[in-house]
Amino acid sequence: MKYLAWAGLTGLLLLVAAPGMHADEAGRAVPNRRTASLETDIPAEAPSDSVMAGPDEIREMQDWATDVFSGSEHSPRFLGAGLPFSFQYGGAAARDAMKTWTRADVAKTEQKCDRRTITWTDAATGLKVQAEITLWKRYPAIEWVLYFENTGKQDTPILEDIQPLDVTLRTTDTKQPAILHQITGDICGAQSFAPLETALPAGKGLSMTPEGGRPSNHTFPFFNLEYAGQGVVTAIGWSGQWAASLDRDANGPLRLRAGMEKTRLVLHPGERIRSPRILLLSWKGDWSTAQRRFRRLLMFHYTPKHDGRPLKQPFAAEWFDRYRKRPGFATEAGQLNAAKAAHDFGCDAFWVDALWFEDDFPRGVGNWYPKPKDFPNGLRPISDACHRMGMKFVLWFEPERVAKGTLIAREHPEFVIGGSEGGLFKLKDPAARRWLTDLLSQRITEYGVDIYRNDFNIDPLAFWRRCDAPDRQGMTEIRYVEGLYAMWDELVARHPGLWIDNCASGGRRIDLETCMRALPLSRSDTVCAAGHADWDQAQTQGLSLYLPLFGSFPWSADAYVMRSGTTAGTCCQFGFLDEGFSMEEAKAALAESKANQKYWYGDFYPLTPATTATDAWAAYQFHRSDLNAGLVLVFRRGDCPSPTISVALRGIDPASAYVVESIDESRHAQRETLSGKQLGDARELRLDKKQTSLLIRYWKSL
């Protein structure tokens, strides 16, 4: 037997298994009946360690916020001076005019943050601008969203070019480039979520905007700007057509702006609109440490919670892309059989995707009722069976797209941009949104849904813009996005414990606001076919720089495929109806993934560059400093010529001793005890076969 442990290290190698596991007679790691002592709950808060910012950095951000929101034009800080937002009002820049407007400031202190609401009111026109600001106490981070309201009796002058983020950074040394760290959006291809790095020398600029109105379609609304050992991570919360620009003056300073791509509108009396949400995290030192700090901020203060902790991602199964056309599968009996299989190999959720409604996908989007012939008793028998087996029930909808000839297009064409011909549902219309919310709420109750999956396979931008008058450009998009948030918030309020799975042709609607309400359990539609394990690895490396929780779909229980496609949870596309399917292998794969889950709630360290090249190695680490334990995943790809890779682990305490467990491609386990210094130094790992993987778990020795 080949031991695939840390090559060249001395120490006793034993065929034993991980905490929560034991080795069977063949040396395979299988679950214990009793939970091992290392197993812990998902953390409720970030640990206090070297990843977190010191008090001086936090105080500097707080002082900056005090200065700029008071309108101070003088600040020595990196983020610059002056109001951090801008807009044109009546054909002129509003910043100077706002100095004469009535200002009110209300502050509120909470346990984890300080909140301020500042309003500026123009006595002449009745326009009220309100900034709702949050300053986090443990992070050098600030978040704000703007509201514009017409409190007068006449239409306002034209509001345009609303930029909720507009700051000039002190990148004054013209010989020092600024570096933009970002990832691509989802393109349903090899480059989905690929990390990018762009140098911005003096005199250079760069602009970003997504395609078609879905915020992470081809670009991503999170990025990190680095300059001379300091920088700022920016997140944009807008589930529509945002835009950002970074324009560096020839003299050095860099102007960072972000908002909707197009706004030019009047507000009628009584109207109120909101802007995109802006989140900034400033940092000093190393940009990659800032990424881990930002990821913690999202995990513990923005992602949805259960009992005060980040959601525990499901281990689900669904077979839409594999079996939906197999006779008898998309029926009550077929789905009950599939649910039983999911339970038997260890899933805690069963997922019914787009196979249950009249006229099928995509012609039937808008028929939100089960096919009478195939599901004569509705979907409740399936959810009831899931609940009896201790599993959650996940159900797919695409409520915002309406196909011609469907029930909504026939009976409520007034609710559709496109009318009876089909198109985009009018979430911009309060009456239409209430009707749809009521319908979805009824279905959630009727069908016993635990996780509501909201897909969105249509680019909305052209629909929005064709509805806008010349003096109302951007208004349809604003009302639509507000309507989406209102609908999701109402569903969660009506159904305590309900989760939302955010899908948009995969991961094309990921932004700060959707991350506050939902998890993207299928991060890209590359999961719709087998054979993309290397892409899965690269997507994990890219997305993990910013997002703590997201999912993918491994198509087999093979260790290389399963380890590539599993994150803090997974959705199995195993071929359980295929000849030769091994239930035992499926059980072992799920058991291994569940034992890994807790580490994904720690810090992410890329150990190799993120690439989909088939001749490369891929390796990355998740470290829980609160446990002094972690997980390493290593992949030798199919054309990789070298059998060895040098890896140094991160976050390790050099003064501690660690139990290190290696589990090979056959899930054979071995264990040794190493010093923290040995783990932290570059060591050689060996995989003799191509297209194989190595799983390493480590924890502090008692």
Side-chain angles (χ1 to χ4, degrees):
M1 178 182 294
K2 286 278 187 185
Y3 289 125
L4 305 179
W6 298 76
L9 297 182
T10 59
L12 182 63
L13 300 178
L14 301 173
L15 284 177
V16 296
M21 310 283 284
H22 71 276
D24 65 10
E25 293 180 356
R28 292 185 294 263
V30 296
N32 289 336
R33 293 181 180 178
R34 298 173 60 188
T35 302
S37 59
L38 184 61
E39 297 292 333
T40 63
D41 291 336
I42 292 170
E45 187 53 270
S48 297
D49 58 14
S50 60
V51 171
M52 301 299 283
D56 290 345
E57 283 189 67
I58 296 171
R59 189 178 306 111
E60 184 170 330
M61 174 59 87
Q62 293 170 339
D63 291 343
W64 176 81
T66 299
D67 287 348
V68 297
F69 278 101
S70 67
S72 172
E73 299 294 337
H74 304 285
S75 174
R77 300 176 183 87
F78 175 64
L79 286 173
L83 284 174
F85 60 87
S86 65
F87 59 96
Q88 297 286 312
Y89 191 47
R95 275 180 172 171
D96 289 338
M98 289 176 66
K99 295 175 183 178
T100 66
W101 294 5
T102 303
R103 184 178 183 276
D105 189 344
V106 177
K108 180 182 179 182
T109 296
E110 299 180 6
Q111 181 182 0
K112 297 181 180 180
C113 64
D114 292 322
R115 301 191 189 275
R116 293 175 65 189
T117 300
I118 305 175
T119 58
W120 298 262
T121 304
D122 177 21
T125 66
L127 180 67
K128 182 169 74 173
V129 180
Q130 180 172 295
E132 292 189 356
I133 306 159
T134 300
L135 275 163
W136 296 106
K137 292 184 176 180
R138 294 190 66 205
Y139 300 83
I142 181 173
E143 169 223 299
W144 69 87
V145 61
L146 304 179
Y147 294 88
F148 296 82
E149 181 179 1
N150 183 359
T151 64
K153 297 181 179 180
Q154 305 292 329
D155 286 355
T156 64
I158 290 285
L159 269 166
E160 59 186 322
D161 193 24
I162 299 172
Q163 301 291 312
L165 174 61
D166 190 342
V167 295
T168 298
L169 309 180
R170 296 187 182 280
T171 55
T172 52
D173 184 352
T174 58
K175 297 180 181 180
Q176 178 79 34
I179 306 295
L180 178 65
H181 303 277
Q182 59 182 143
I183 62 175
T184 64
D186 186 16
I187 61 172
C188 194
Q191 294 305 306
S192 289
F193 309 118
L196 303 171
E197 187 176 288
T198 305
L200 294 173
K204 183 174 180 179
L206 181 148
S207 297
M208 298 174 276
T209 192
E211 293 188 7
R214 292 183 292 177
S216 52
N217 189 8
H218 284 69
T219 191
F220 205 70
F222 301 75
F223 50 88
N224 188 349
L225 184 72
E226 175 186 9
Y227 171 79
Q230 60 188 328
V232 59
V233 184
T234 302
I236 301 167
W238 189 249
S239 307
Q241 190 72 1
W242 59 273
S245 62
L246 299 91
D247 295 309
R248 193 165 182 205
D249 188 89
N251 294 322
L254 187 151
R255 188 178 184 187
L256 171 59
R257 304 171 82 229
M260 287 176 58
E261 184 181 51
K262 182 181 289 187
T263 48
R264 186 183 186 278
L265 52 91
V266 300
L267 290 180
H268 301 319
E271 279 192 322
R272 186 175 191 253
I273 60 172
R274 60 157 290 177
S275 75
R277 188 178 302 272
I278 301 297
L279 173 62
L280 301 181
L281 182 145
S282 65
W283 58 269
K284 294 182 179 180
D286 175 55
W287 78 271
S288 61
T289 300
Q291 297 290 159
R292 286 180 275 280
R293 191 177 298 161
F294 178 82
R295 194 171 178 274
R296 288 182 178 188
L297 176 62
L298 254 62
M299 181 181 297
F300 297 112
H301 296 291
Y302 286 89
T303 62
K305 301 293 187 295
H306 177 70
D307 290 338
R309 297 174 186 270
L311 292 178
K312 185 178 182 180
Q313 278 194 226
F315 290 92
E318 75 92 10
W319 289 279
F320 174 78
D321 294 297
R322 186 186 281 271
Y323 291 138
R324 65 175 169 134
K325 294 182 179 179
R326 179 178 287 222
F329 185 74
T331 66
E332 178 181 312
Q335 292 302 287
L336 287 172
N337 182 46
K340 176 64 164 54
H343 168 265
D344 288 350
F345 57 71
C347 289
D348 55 25
F350 178 63
W351 182 322
V352 174
D353 212 80
L355 53 69
W356 59 273
F357 46 90
E358 188 73 359
D359 292 331
D360 293 309
F361 177 83
R363 292 185 305 112
V365 292
N367 287 331
W368 303 121
Y369 56 91
K371 293 178 282 189
K373 180 179 177 181
D374 296 326
F375 297 94
N377 303 301
L379 301 182
R380 192 70 192 210
I382 302 169
S383 67
D384 284 347
C386 289
H387 296 153
R388 284 194 299 271
M389 291 184 285
M391 296 192 298
K392 293 183 181 295
F393 181 51
V394 187
L395 186 61
W396 183 98
F397 289 86
E398 191 183 357
E400 298 161 78
R401 182 163 65 141
V402 181
K404 180 180 179 180
T406 58
L407 184 147
I408 293 177
R410 294 194 316 269
E411 297 189 3
H412 291 285
E414 74 278 11
F415 290 166
V416 185
I417 302 175
S420 61
E421 294 298 303
L424 185 69
F425 193 88
K426 291 182 180 177
L427 283 183
K428 66 169 187 169
D429 180 348
R433 174 179 54 79
R434 284 193 296 270
W435 182 90
L436 183 59
T437 304
D438 289 343
L439 174 68
L440 294 173
S441 181
Q442 179 184 348
R443 296 294 185 259
I444 288 167
T445 299
E446 181 181 356
Y447 303 155
V449 176
D450 301 295
I451 300 177
Y452 160 75
R453 176 168 167 79
N454 194 130
D455 207 344
F456 190 42
N457 296 297
I458 187 172
D459 282 338
L461 186 60
F463 291 95
W464 293 337
R465 290 189 173 171
R466 83 188 204 197
C467 294
D468 287 341
D471 64 349
R472 301 279 280 178
Q473 294 178 53
M475 182 59 78
T476 300
E477 177 180 344
I478 291 169
R479 293 298 186 224
Y480 188 98
V481 171
E482 291 174 338
L484 172 69
Y485 302 156
M487 183 176 75
W488 282 8
D489 292 345
E490 180 67 18
L491 290 176
V492 171
R494 292 189 192 184
H495 303 276
L498 180 75
W499 296 11
I500 298 176
D501 167 21
N502 168 34
C503 184
S505 306
R508 301 192 185 206
R509 187 159 65 178
I510 299 172
D511 65 279
L512 184 62
E513 289 277 0
T514 56
C515 288
M516 293 165 67
R517 295 169 168 86
L519 301 185
L521 295 182
S522 56
R523 62 190 174 193
S524 174
D525 272 359
T526 57
V527 304
C528 295
H532 296 144
D534 297 350
W535 296 6
D536 277 334
Q537 299 155 19
Q539 288 177 20
T540 292
Q541 287 182 276
L543 269 177
S544 293
L545 292 170
Y546 294 95
L547 301 191
L549 301 175
F550 52 84
S552 190
F553 291 24
W555 275 64
S556 83
D558 170 82
Y560 188 90
V561 174
M562 188 70 178
R563 291 168 180 173
S564 300
T566 299
T567 61
T570 198
C571 184
C572 303
Q573 286 262 20
F574 299 168
F576 81 105
L577 294 177
D578 297 353
E579 184 177 351
F581 174 76
S582 171
M583 181 62 74
E584 291 307 309
E585 185 179 11
K587 288 179 179 179
L590 262 293
E592 178 184 274
S593 296
K594 288 181 178 180
N596 294 341
Q597 184 181 54
K598 61 181 173 290
Y599 301 116
W600 288 82
Y601 291 81
D603 296 322
F604 170 68
Y605 292 93
L607 303 178
T608 61
T611 174
T612 56
T614 60
D615 61 352
W617 285 83
Y620 41 90
Q621 174 189 2
F622 290 88
H623 180 74
R624 288 277 300 271
S625 64
D626 58 327
L627 302 179
N628 205 353
L631 168 76
V632 182
L633 289 163
V634 184
F635 303 91
R636 182 185 178 189
R637 292 180 177 161
D639 297 320
C640 182
S642 174
T644 61
I645 183 176
S646 181
V647 170
L649 300 194
R650 305 289 302 279
I652 301 296
D653 175 12
S656 295
Y658 291 85
V659 178
V660 181
E661 181 172 67
S662 301
I663 304 175
D664 68 13
E665 186 72 10
S666 300
R667 298 194 172 92
H668 294 142
Q670 60 187 35
R671 185 183 295 178
E672 57 187 328
T673 299
L674 300 173
S675 70
K677 185 178 186 307
Q678 287 174 303
L679 285 179
D681 290 341
R683 309 299 299 185
E684 187 177 86
L685 298 177
R686 183 179 187 91
L687 289 175
D688 288 329
K689 292 184 178 181
K690 297 178 180 179
Q691 199 80 6
T692 56
S693 62
L694 179 63
L695 163 64
I696 299 169
R697 302 188 189 108
Y698 60 89
W699 58 94
K700 184 179 178 180
S701 178
L702 300 179

